PDB file of all heavy atoms in Angstrom:
ATOM      1  N   LEU A1013       5.991 -11.392  10.678  1.00  0.00           N
ATOM      2  CA  LEU A1013       4.771 -10.752  10.315  1.00  0.00           C
ATOM      3  C   LEU A1013       3.624 -11.031  11.276  1.00  0.00           C
ATOM      4  O   LEU A1013       2.865 -10.174  11.621  1.00  0.00           O
ATOM      5  CB  LEU A1013       4.294 -11.119   8.864  1.00  0.00           C
ATOM      6  CG  LEU A1013       5.173 -10.569   7.711  1.00  0.00           C
ATOM      7  CD1 LEU A1013       4.749 -11.244   6.443  1.00  0.00           C
ATOM      8  CD2 LEU A1013       4.996  -9.088   7.680  1.00  0.00           C
ATOM      9  N   ARG A1014       3.634 -12.186  11.835  1.00  0.00           N
ATOM     10  CA  ARG A1014       2.710 -12.595  12.780  1.00  0.00           C
ATOM     11  C   ARG A1014       2.781 -11.784  14.072  1.00  0.00           C
ATOM     12  O   ARG A1014       1.812 -11.469  14.708  1.00  0.00           O
ATOM     13  CB  ARG A1014       2.718 -14.059  13.150  1.00  0.00           C
ATOM     14  CG  ARG A1014       2.075 -15.005  11.999  1.00  0.00           C
ATOM     15  CD  ARG A1014       2.333 -16.439  12.202  1.00  0.00           C
ATOM     16  NE  ARG A1014       1.694 -17.244  11.234  1.00  0.00           N
ATOM     17  CZ  ARG A1014       1.986 -18.469  10.827  1.00  0.00           C
ATOM     18  NH1 ARG A1014       3.023 -19.001  11.464  1.00  0.00           N
ATOM     19  NH2 ARG A1014       1.350 -19.085   9.947  1.00  0.00           N
ATOM     20  N   HIS A1015       3.988 -11.423  14.408  1.00  0.00           N
ATOM     21  CA  HIS A1015       4.262 -10.659  15.695  1.00  0.00           C
ATOM     22  C   HIS A1015       4.003  -9.092  15.481  1.00  0.00           C
ATOM     23  O   HIS A1015       3.700  -8.475  16.435  1.00  0.00           O
ATOM     24  CB  HIS A1015       5.809 -10.827  16.076  1.00  0.00           C
ATOM     25  CG  HIS A1015       5.964 -12.159  16.733  1.00  0.00           C
ATOM     26  ND1 HIS A1015       6.471 -13.254  16.111  1.00  0.00           N
ATOM     27  CD2 HIS A1015       5.799 -12.522  18.105  1.00  0.00           C
ATOM     28  CE1 HIS A1015       6.565 -14.265  16.952  1.00  0.00           C
ATOM     29  NE2 HIS A1015       6.158 -13.835  18.206  1.00  0.00           N
ATOM     30  N   LYS A1016       4.010  -8.667  14.198  1.00  0.00           N
ATOM     31  CA  LYS A1016       3.812  -7.288  13.973  1.00  0.00           C
ATOM     32  C   LYS A1016       2.500  -6.942  13.213  1.00  0.00           C
ATOM     33  O   LYS A1016       2.362  -5.900  12.677  1.00  0.00           O
ATOM     34  CB  LYS A1016       5.077  -6.634  13.241  1.00  0.00           C
ATOM     35  CG  LYS A1016       5.375  -7.365  12.001  1.00  0.00           C
ATOM     36  CD  LYS A1016       6.756  -6.868  11.436  1.00  0.00           C
ATOM     37  CE  LYS A1016       6.593  -5.496  10.892  1.00  0.00           C
ATOM     38  NZ  LYS A1016       7.867  -5.138  10.147  1.00  0.00           N
ATOM     39  N   ARG A1017       1.646  -7.934  13.238  1.00  0.00           N
ATOM     40  CA  ARG A1017       0.398  -7.772  12.395  1.00  0.00           C
ATOM     41  C   ARG A1017      -0.419  -6.600  12.746  1.00  0.00           C
ATOM     42  O   ARG A1017      -1.150  -6.038  11.880  1.00  0.00           O
ATOM     43  CB  ARG A1017      -0.424  -9.087  12.661  1.00  0.00           C
ATOM     44  CG  ARG A1017      -1.734  -9.157  11.822  1.00  0.00           C
ATOM     45  CD  ARG A1017      -1.657  -9.902  10.642  1.00  0.00           C
ATOM     46  NE  ARG A1017      -2.868  -9.807   9.881  1.00  0.00           N
ATOM     47  CZ  ARG A1017      -3.898 -10.716   9.896  1.00  0.00           C
ATOM     48  NH1 ARG A1017      -3.742 -11.722  10.747  1.00  0.00           N
ATOM     49  NH2 ARG A1017      -4.933 -10.582   9.264  1.00  0.00           N
ATOM     50  N   ASN A1018      -0.372  -6.217  14.036  1.00  0.00           N
ATOM     51  CA  ASN A1018      -1.266  -5.170  14.470  1.00  0.00           C
ATOM     52  C   ASN A1018      -0.661  -3.782  14.283  1.00  0.00           C
ATOM     53  O   ASN A1018      -1.327  -2.809  14.691  1.00  0.00           O
ATOM     54  CB  ASN A1018      -1.688  -5.378  15.837  1.00  0.00           C
ATOM     55  CG  ASN A1018      -2.609  -6.565  16.114  1.00  0.00           C
ATOM     56  OD1 ASN A1018      -3.425  -6.981  15.206  1.00  0.00           O
ATOM     57  ND2 ASN A1018      -2.329  -7.248  17.221  1.00  0.00           N
ATOM     58  N   GLU A1019       0.501  -3.672  13.788  1.00  0.00           N
ATOM     59  CA  GLU A1019       1.168  -2.404  13.668  1.00  0.00           C
ATOM     60  C   GLU A1019       0.467  -1.645  12.428  1.00  0.00           C
ATOM     61  O   GLU A1019       0.143  -2.224  11.465  1.00  0.00           O
ATOM     62  CB  GLU A1019       2.634  -2.481  13.329  1.00  0.00           C
ATOM     63  CG  GLU A1019       3.466  -3.057  14.464  1.00  0.00           C
ATOM     64  CD  GLU A1019       4.875  -3.046  14.229  1.00  0.00           C
ATOM     65  OE1 GLU A1019       5.347  -2.762  13.157  1.00  0.00           O
ATOM     66  OE2 GLU A1019       5.660  -3.606  15.154  1.00  0.00           O
ATOM     67  N   ASN A1020       0.315  -0.321  12.603  1.00  0.00           N
ATOM     68  CA  ASN A1020      -0.319   0.496  11.531  1.00  0.00           C
ATOM     69  C   ASN A1020       0.709   1.144  10.735  1.00  0.00           C
ATOM     70  O   ASN A1020       1.757   1.560  11.233  1.00  0.00           O
ATOM     71  CB  ASN A1020      -1.303   1.448  12.102  1.00  0.00           C
ATOM     72  CG  ASN A1020      -2.447   0.793  12.869  1.00  0.00           C
ATOM     73  OD1 ASN A1020      -3.052  -0.230  12.329  1.00  0.00           O
ATOM     74  ND2 ASN A1020      -2.724   1.280  13.980  1.00  0.00           N
ATOM     75  N   ALA A1021       0.369   1.387   9.439  1.00  0.00           N
ATOM     76  CA  ALA A1021       1.285   2.163   8.639  1.00  0.00           C
ATOM     77  C   ALA A1021       1.202   3.638   9.112  1.00  0.00           C
ATOM     78  O   ALA A1021       0.200   4.091   9.541  1.00  0.00           O
ATOM     79  CB  ALA A1021       0.815   2.120   7.197  1.00  0.00           C
ATOM     80  N   GLY A1022       2.380   4.296   8.827  1.00  0.00           N
ATOM     81  CA  GLY A1022       2.458   5.789   9.367  1.00  0.00           C
ATOM     82  C   GLY A1022       1.641   6.649   8.522  1.00  0.00           C
ATOM     83  O   GLY A1022       1.114   6.358   7.405  1.00  0.00           O
ATOM     84  N   ALA A1023       1.345   7.868   9.096  1.00  0.00           N
ATOM     85  CA  ALA A1023       0.471   8.798   8.347  1.00  0.00           C
ATOM     86  C   ALA A1023       1.105   9.241   7.094  1.00  0.00           C
ATOM     87  O   ALA A1023       0.479   9.539   6.122  1.00  0.00           O
ATOM     88  CB  ALA A1023       0.258  10.025   9.297  1.00  0.00           C
ATOM     89  N   ASP A1024       2.483   9.344   7.068  1.00  0.00           N
ATOM     90  CA  ASP A1024       3.129   9.886   5.900  1.00  0.00           C
ATOM     91  C   ASP A1024       2.901   8.910   4.769  1.00  0.00           C
ATOM     92  O   ASP A1024       2.630   9.231   3.556  1.00  0.00           O
ATOM     93  CB  ASP A1024       4.701   9.963   6.111  1.00  0.00           C
ATOM     94  CG  ASP A1024       4.992  11.169   6.947  1.00  0.00           C
ATOM     95  OD1 ASP A1024       4.037  12.024   7.106  1.00  0.00           O
ATOM     96  OD2 ASP A1024       6.059  11.192   7.538  1.00  0.00           O
ATOM     97  N   MET A1025       2.939   7.585   4.999  1.00  0.00           N
ATOM     98  CA  MET A1025       2.710   6.587   3.953  1.00  0.00           C
ATOM     99  C   MET A1025       1.283   6.628   3.453  1.00  0.00           C
ATOM    100  O   MET A1025       1.064   6.464   2.376  1.00  0.00           O
ATOM    101  CB  MET A1025       3.017   5.173   4.532  1.00  0.00           C
ATOM    102  CG  MET A1025       2.795   4.115   3.438  1.00  0.00           C
ATOM    103  SD  MET A1025       3.734   4.413   1.953  1.00  0.00           S
ATOM    104  CE  MET A1025       5.383   4.273   2.484  1.00  0.00           C
ATOM    105  N   HIS A1026       0.398   6.982   4.437  1.00  0.00           N
ATOM    106  CA  HIS A1026      -1.010   7.028   3.964  1.00  0.00           C
ATOM    107  C   HIS A1026      -1.191   8.122   2.941  1.00  0.00           C
ATOM    108  O   HIS A1026      -1.965   8.064   2.031  1.00  0.00           O
ATOM    109  CB  HIS A1026      -1.915   7.338   5.254  1.00  0.00           C
ATOM    110  CG  HIS A1026      -3.327   7.416   4.905  1.00  0.00           C
ATOM    111  ND1 HIS A1026      -4.223   6.377   4.597  1.00  0.00           N
ATOM    112  CD2 HIS A1026      -4.223   8.589   4.867  1.00  0.00           C
ATOM    113  CE1 HIS A1026      -5.381   6.861   4.323  1.00  0.00           C
ATOM    114  NE2 HIS A1026      -5.409   8.106   4.503  1.00  0.00           N
ATOM    115  N   GLU A1027      -0.440   9.318   3.249  1.00  0.00           N
ATOM    116  CA  GLU A1027      -0.560  10.397   2.339  1.00  0.00           C
ATOM    117  C   GLU A1027      -0.013  10.022   0.891  1.00  0.00           C
ATOM    118  O   GLU A1027      -0.580  10.426  -0.097  1.00  0.00           O
ATOM    119  CB  GLU A1027       0.162  11.654   2.893  1.00  0.00           C
ATOM    120  CG  GLU A1027      -0.525  12.275   4.120  1.00  0.00           C
ATOM    121  CD  GLU A1027      -1.865  12.742   3.742  1.00  0.00           C
ATOM    122  OE1 GLU A1027      -2.082  13.373   2.730  1.00  0.00           O
ATOM    123  OE2 GLU A1027      -2.850  12.434   4.463  1.00  0.00           O
ATOM    124  N   GLN A1028       1.092   9.340   0.911  1.00  0.00           N
ATOM    125  CA  GLN A1028       1.703   8.895  -0.282  1.00  0.00           C
ATOM    126  C   GLN A1028       0.753   8.039  -1.096  1.00  0.00           C
ATOM    127  O   GLN A1028       0.672   8.185  -2.330  1.00  0.00           O
ATOM    128  CB  GLN A1028       3.003   8.033  -0.075  1.00  0.00           C
ATOM    129  CG  GLN A1028       4.221   8.946   0.336  1.00  0.00           C
ATOM    130  CD  GLN A1028       5.431   8.064   0.475  1.00  0.00           C
ATOM    131  OE1 GLN A1028       5.517   7.306   1.458  1.00  0.00           O
ATOM    132  NE2 GLN A1028       6.286   8.109  -0.448  1.00  0.00           N
ATOM    133  N   LEU A1029       0.065   7.093  -0.463  1.00  0.00           N
ATOM    134  CA  LEU A1029      -0.800   6.136  -1.120  1.00  0.00           C
ATOM    135  C   LEU A1029      -2.010   6.844  -1.744  1.00  0.00           C
ATOM    136  O   LEU A1029      -2.587   6.222  -2.699  1.00  0.00           O
ATOM    137  CB  LEU A1029      -1.277   5.115  -0.132  1.00  0.00           C
ATOM    138  CG  LEU A1029      -0.175   4.139   0.420  1.00  0.00           C
ATOM    139  CD1 LEU A1029      -0.772   3.282   1.552  1.00  0.00           C
ATOM    140  CD2 LEU A1029       0.294   3.334  -0.678  1.00  0.00           C
ATOM    141  N   LYS A1030      -2.245   8.034  -1.390  1.00  0.00           N
ATOM    142  CA  LYS A1030      -3.459   8.648  -2.023  1.00  0.00           C
ATOM    143  C   LYS A1030      -3.182   8.983  -3.554  1.00  0.00           C
ATOM    144  O   LYS A1030      -4.004   9.185  -4.251  1.00  0.00           O
ATOM    145  CB  LYS A1030      -3.676  10.046  -1.318  1.00  0.00           C
ATOM    146  CG  LYS A1030      -4.314   9.913   0.054  1.00  0.00           C
ATOM    147  CD  LYS A1030      -4.634  11.189   0.710  1.00  0.00           C
ATOM    148  CE  LYS A1030      -5.318  11.090   2.027  1.00  0.00           C
ATOM    149  NZ  LYS A1030      -5.589  12.425   2.723  1.00  0.00           N
ATOM    150  N   TYR A1031      -1.820   9.035  -3.900  1.00  0.00           N
ATOM    151  CA  TYR A1031      -1.494   9.303  -5.215  1.00  0.00           C
ATOM    152  C   TYR A1031      -1.290   8.059  -6.057  1.00  0.00           C
ATOM    153  O   TYR A1031      -0.878   8.052  -7.249  1.00  0.00           O
ATOM    154  CB  TYR A1031      -0.169  10.128  -5.176  1.00  0.00           C
ATOM    155  CG  TYR A1031      -0.348  11.384  -4.531  1.00  0.00           C
ATOM    156  CD1 TYR A1031       0.053  11.536  -3.211  1.00  0.00           C
ATOM    157  CD2 TYR A1031      -0.774  12.549  -5.250  1.00  0.00           C
ATOM    158  CE1 TYR A1031      -0.018  12.836  -2.563  1.00  0.00           C
ATOM    159  CE2 TYR A1031      -0.948  13.774  -4.561  1.00  0.00           C
ATOM    160  CZ  TYR A1031      -0.557  13.937  -3.318  1.00  0.00           C
ATOM    161  OH  TYR A1031      -0.684  15.154  -2.658  1.00  0.00           O
ATOM    162  N   PHE A1032      -1.692   6.927  -5.511  1.00  0.00           N
ATOM    163  CA  PHE A1032      -1.514   5.620  -6.144  1.00  0.00           C
ATOM    164  C   PHE A1032      -2.892   5.319  -6.861  1.00  0.00           C
ATOM    165  O   PHE A1032      -3.847   4.948  -6.207  1.00  0.00           O
ATOM    166  CB  PHE A1032      -1.162   4.666  -5.120  1.00  0.00           C
ATOM    167  CG  PHE A1032      -0.655   3.298  -5.725  1.00  0.00           C
ATOM    168  CD1 PHE A1032       0.381   3.334  -6.721  1.00  0.00           C
ATOM    169  CD2 PHE A1032      -1.172   2.079  -5.428  1.00  0.00           C
ATOM    170  CE1 PHE A1032       0.839   2.109  -7.185  1.00  0.00           C
ATOM    171  CE2 PHE A1032      -0.662   0.897  -5.869  1.00  0.00           C
ATOM    172  CZ  PHE A1032       0.280   0.949  -6.845  1.00  0.00           C
ATOM    173  N   THR A1033      -2.947   5.428  -8.171  1.00  0.00           N
ATOM    174  CA  THR A1033      -4.219   5.280  -8.859  1.00  0.00           C
ATOM    175  C   THR A1033      -4.658   3.807  -8.819  1.00  0.00           C
ATOM    176  O   THR A1033      -3.962   2.984  -8.697  1.00  0.00           O
ATOM    177  CB  THR A1033      -4.104   5.707 -10.333  1.00  0.00           C
ATOM    178  OG1 THR A1033      -3.114   4.927 -10.906  1.00  0.00           O
ATOM    179  CG2 THR A1033      -3.640   7.176 -10.365  1.00  0.00           C
ATOM    180  N   SER A1034      -5.928   3.657  -9.076  1.00  0.00           N
ATOM    181  CA  SER A1034      -6.562   2.344  -9.013  1.00  0.00           C
ATOM    182  C   SER A1034      -7.181   1.853 -10.290  1.00  0.00           C
ATOM    183  O   SER A1034      -7.866   0.880 -10.381  1.00  0.00           O
ATOM    184  CB  SER A1034      -7.590   2.280  -7.902  1.00  0.00           C
ATOM    185  OG  SER A1034      -8.623   3.179  -8.191  1.00  0.00           O
ATOM    186  N   ASN A1035      -6.979   2.564 -11.438  1.00  0.00           N
ATOM    187  CA  ASN A1035      -7.568   2.278 -12.681  1.00  0.00           C
ATOM    188  C   ASN A1035      -6.837   1.281 -13.532  1.00  0.00           C
ATOM    189  O   ASN A1035      -7.209   1.086 -14.642  1.00  0.00           O
ATOM    190  CB  ASN A1035      -7.918   3.554 -13.494  1.00  0.00           C
ATOM    191  CG  ASN A1035      -6.701   4.376 -13.730  1.00  0.00           C
ATOM    192  OD1 ASN A1035      -5.627   3.921 -13.333  1.00  0.00           O
ATOM    193  ND2 ASN A1035      -6.927   5.483 -14.370  1.00  0.00           N
ATOM    194  N   GLU A1036      -5.797   0.733 -13.010  1.00  0.00           N
ATOM    195  CA  GLU A1036      -5.108  -0.348 -13.794  1.00  0.00           C
ATOM    196  C   GLU A1036      -5.121  -1.576 -12.811  1.00  0.00           C
ATOM    197  O   GLU A1036      -5.349  -1.447 -11.620  1.00  0.00           O
ATOM    198  CB  GLU A1036      -3.551   0.046 -13.949  1.00  0.00           C
ATOM    199  CG  GLU A1036      -3.461   1.312 -14.736  1.00  0.00           C
ATOM    200  CD  GLU A1036      -1.903   1.783 -14.929  1.00  0.00           C
ATOM    201  OE1 GLU A1036      -1.064   0.887 -14.813  1.00  0.00           O
ATOM    202  OE2 GLU A1036      -1.719   2.942 -15.089  1.00  0.00           O
ATOM    203  N   ASN A1037      -4.880  -2.716 -13.463  1.00  0.00           N
ATOM    204  CA  ASN A1037      -4.886  -3.901 -12.569  1.00  0.00           C
ATOM    205  C   ASN A1037      -3.672  -3.996 -11.783  1.00  0.00           C
ATOM    206  O   ASN A1037      -2.622  -3.361 -12.075  1.00  0.00           O
ATOM    207  CB  ASN A1037      -5.103  -5.169 -13.450  1.00  0.00           C
ATOM    208  CG  ASN A1037      -3.988  -5.462 -14.458  1.00  0.00           C
ATOM    209  OD1 ASN A1037      -2.851  -5.261 -14.178  1.00  0.00           O
ATOM    210  ND2 ASN A1037      -4.458  -5.805 -15.735  1.00  0.00           N
ATOM    211  N   ILE A1038      -3.593  -4.859 -10.808  1.00  0.00           N
ATOM    212  CA  ILE A1038      -2.453  -4.889  -9.842  1.00  0.00           C
ATOM    213  C   ILE A1038      -1.198  -5.310 -10.540  1.00  0.00           C
ATOM    214  O   ILE A1038      -0.130  -4.931 -10.214  1.00  0.00           O
ATOM    215  CB  ILE A1038      -2.834  -5.774  -8.680  1.00  0.00           C
ATOM    216  CG1 ILE A1038      -1.729  -5.663  -7.540  1.00  0.00           C
ATOM    217  CG2 ILE A1038      -3.026  -7.266  -9.042  1.00  0.00           C
ATOM    218  CD1 ILE A1038      -1.650  -4.236  -6.939  1.00  0.00           C
ATOM    219  N   GLU A1039      -1.336  -6.220 -11.492  1.00  0.00           N
ATOM    220  CA  GLU A1039      -0.120  -6.686 -12.175  1.00  0.00           C
ATOM    221  C   GLU A1039       0.611  -5.620 -12.851  1.00  0.00           C
ATOM    222  O   GLU A1039       1.866  -5.554 -12.911  1.00  0.00           O
ATOM    223  CB  GLU A1039      -0.527  -7.805 -13.199  1.00  0.00           C
ATOM    224  CG  GLU A1039      -1.035  -9.108 -12.576  1.00  0.00           C
ATOM    225  CD  GLU A1039      -2.526  -9.061 -12.209  1.00  0.00           C
ATOM    226  OE1 GLU A1039      -3.157  -7.967 -12.460  1.00  0.00           O
ATOM    227  OE2 GLU A1039      -3.004 -10.129 -11.791  1.00  0.00           O
ATOM    228  N   GLN A1040      -0.150  -4.712 -13.581  1.00  0.00           N
ATOM    229  CA  GLN A1040       0.606  -3.572 -14.211  1.00  0.00           C
ATOM    230  C   GLN A1040       1.155  -2.606 -13.212  1.00  0.00           C
ATOM    231  O   GLN A1040       2.210  -2.043 -13.469  1.00  0.00           O
ATOM    232  CB  GLN A1040      -0.515  -2.720 -15.059  1.00  0.00           C
ATOM    233  CG  GLN A1040      -0.900  -3.604 -16.267  1.00  0.00           C
ATOM    234  CD  GLN A1040       0.203  -3.887 -17.141  1.00  0.00           C
ATOM    235  OE1 GLN A1040       1.040  -3.056 -17.479  1.00  0.00           O
ATOM    236  NE2 GLN A1040       0.370  -5.059 -17.616  1.00  0.00           N
ATOM    237  N   HIS A1041       0.640  -2.376 -12.060  1.00  0.00           N
ATOM    238  CA  HIS A1041       1.225  -1.597 -10.954  1.00  0.00           C
ATOM    239  C   HIS A1041       2.525  -2.129 -10.649  1.00  0.00           C
ATOM    240  O   HIS A1041       3.477  -1.392 -10.371  1.00  0.00           O
ATOM    241  CB  HIS A1041       0.193  -1.570  -9.791  1.00  0.00           C
ATOM    242  CG  HIS A1041      -0.824  -0.569 -10.007  1.00  0.00           C
ATOM    243  ND1 HIS A1041      -0.634   0.800 -10.337  1.00  0.00           N
ATOM    244  CD2 HIS A1041      -2.215  -0.699  -9.781  1.00  0.00           C
ATOM    245  CE1 HIS A1041      -1.805   1.368 -10.398  1.00  0.00           C
ATOM    246  NE2 HIS A1041      -2.784   0.500 -10.067  1.00  0.00           N
ATOM    247  N   LEU A1042       2.662  -3.503 -10.487  1.00  0.00           N
ATOM    248  CA  LEU A1042       3.814  -4.076 -10.002  1.00  0.00           C
ATOM    249  C   LEU A1042       5.031  -3.919 -10.977  1.00  0.00           C
ATOM    250  O   LEU A1042       6.188  -3.941 -10.610  1.00  0.00           O
ATOM    251  CB  LEU A1042       3.646  -5.442  -9.722  1.00  0.00           C
ATOM    252  CG  LEU A1042       2.619  -5.800  -8.486  1.00  0.00           C
ATOM    253  CD1 LEU A1042       2.424  -7.328  -8.505  1.00  0.00           C
ATOM    254  CD2 LEU A1042       3.294  -5.283  -7.271  1.00  0.00           C
ATOM    255  N   ILE A1043       4.761  -3.821 -12.208  1.00  0.00           N
ATOM    256  CA  ILE A1043       5.699  -3.632 -13.304  1.00  0.00           C
ATOM    257  C   ILE A1043       6.307  -2.301 -13.187  1.00  0.00           C
ATOM    258  O   ILE A1043       7.512  -2.153 -13.416  1.00  0.00           O
ATOM    259  CB  ILE A1043       5.076  -3.773 -14.625  1.00  0.00           C
ATOM    260  CG1 ILE A1043       4.625  -5.227 -14.905  1.00  0.00           C
ATOM    261  CG2 ILE A1043       6.079  -3.301 -15.791  1.00  0.00           C
ATOM    262  CD1 ILE A1043       3.821  -5.478 -16.202  1.00  0.00           C
TER     263      ILE A1043
END
């Protein structure tokens, strides 16, 4: 991870993340 720290996530993943809601706490998302 230290060697690839500066790599950026792809545009496709960025689009996917837009559908990831934020109105629940992180623990519930992980379930």
Side-chain angles (χ1 to χ4, degrees):
L1013 287 170
R1014 283 172 176 160
H1015 282 94
K1016 54 190 287 191
R1017 178 100 184 264
N1018 295 325
E1019 292 183 4
N1020 294 319
D1024 289 344
M1025 180 54 63
H1026 179 75
E1027 290 301 314
Q1028 281 183 290
L1029 291 173
K1030 288 182 179 180
Y1031 297 96
F1032 195 51
T1033 60
S1034 62
N1035 56 0
E1036 300 175 27
N1037 62 44
I1038 190 63
E1039 293 83 357
Q1040 288 301 313
H1041 280 309
L1042 291 174
I1043 293 173

